[in-house]
Amino acid sequence: INCRFGGTVIDIPKTGIGFYDCVFDGRLELNVNYSDGINIAELRKCVINSQFNISSGAIVSDITIEDCIFNENSSLGAKYYRHCSKEDFSRLRIKNCIFKGDVNFESAYIPEYSVFEYLTFYREVNFNETKLGENIIFKNICFAPFANKVAKDGLRSFVKALNDNGYKKEAKFYETHYGDAEAKKVNKTEYDIAVESG
């Protein structure tokens, strides 16, 4: 609680681990030491100023990232997360977060009943080849006005992942509301003020 970290590699103990009101200035690597246990990891009200990587082999029962800010030089990397393991009773909950850096879920497996709720993405998002379990909640996800082709491609990868995994209604919603026509109507200054003020 209220800690500040430089570069950190964390093997999640079998009893789980939680970070509350912490700041991560250096790269954070989340691993599991393959011991038996529930292996829960929680980050709440944290600020991430660098890379945050979830190991592709991290068999974590439950990861919660809530009320966190990923600043401009940060990234959330979950490439290949659980792509070889589709165990039951695992969840990924990401709620009330702002991502000012890149987010990468390429070739990951997002477990069923996971939650993506109240999220704002400012930069590149990569959901290429992502597999989505059933009954995932996608609610109030916001993409900042597209400043470049990479950001547009990120939205396309997200919409394609939704379509490819049976979330057709959600895919249509994001495709309709975040296409080029909608992006041109957004005043970036007003948008940034709204996000900063909550």
Side-chain angles (χ1 to χ4, degrees), residues 8-10 18-19 33 41 43 86 113 126 144-145 167 182 184 194 198:
T8 309
V9 176
I10 298 169
F19 298 95
N33 57 13
L43 280 85
K86 296 184 170 107
Y113 296 106
N126 186 348
Y167 292 91
E182 287 297 317
K184 288 174 186 167

Side-chain angles (χ1 to χ4, degrees), residues 35-50:
S35 63
D36 293 332
I38 53 176
N39 300 113
I40 291 174
E42 263 188 25
L43 280 85
R44 293 185 192 269
K45 296 185 178 178
C46 292
V47 175
I48 293 86
N49 294 320
S50 188

Side-chain angles (χ1 to χ4, degrees), residues 45-182:
K45 296 185 178 178
C46 292
V47 175
I48 293 86
N49 294 320
S50 188
Q51 296 175 9
F52 173 24
N53 295 318
I54 303 171
S55 167
S56 62
I59 310 302
V60 184
S61 297
D62 193 299
I63 296 177
T64 298
I65 304 170
E66 190 167 343
D67 299 317
C68 293
I69 295 176
F70 288 72
N71 280 321
E72 283 82 359
N73 295 321
S74 72
S75 64
L76 172 61
K79 189 173 181 178
Y80 297 113
Y81 170 65
R82 300 189 68 87
H83 76 290
C84 290
S85 172
K86 296 184 170 107
E87 295 179 8
D88 293 332
F89 309 117
S90 64
R91 304 288 177 269
L92 176 62
R93 292 180 186 87
I94 305 178
K95 298 173 67 173
N96 302 323
C97 293
I98 294 174
F99 297 93
K100 296 181 181 179
D102 297 339
V103 176
N104 188 353
F105 280 100
E106 183 179 354
S107 299
Y109 171 70
I110 310 299
E112 63 177 344
Y113 296 106
S114 291
V115 176
F116 287 74
E117 208 171 52
Y118 301 104
L119 307 179
T120 300
F121 298 105
Y122 274 87
R123 294 202 27 205
E124 181 180 354
V125 178
N126 186 348
F127 280 86
N128 289 323
E129 305 298 324
T130 301
K131 301 292 182 211
L132 304 172
E134 296 178 1
N135 301 305
I136 296 176
I137 295 172
F138 296 99
K139 184 176 179 184
N140 290 343
I141 297 176
C142 183
F143 294 85
F146 301 129
N148 56 42
K149 182 181 182 306
V150 174
K152 288 180 188 177
D153 290 345
L155 172 66
R156 286 190 192 108
S157 76
F158 178 64
V159 170
K160 184 175 185 324
L162 290 173
N163 268 320
D164 291 350
N165 290 279
Y167 292 91
K168 307 275 187 204
K169 181 179 169 188
E170 291 86 347
K172 184 162 182 56
F173 173 84
Y174 289 107
E175 192 171 36
T176 302
H177 287 83
Y178 290 98
D180 289 334
E182 287 297 317

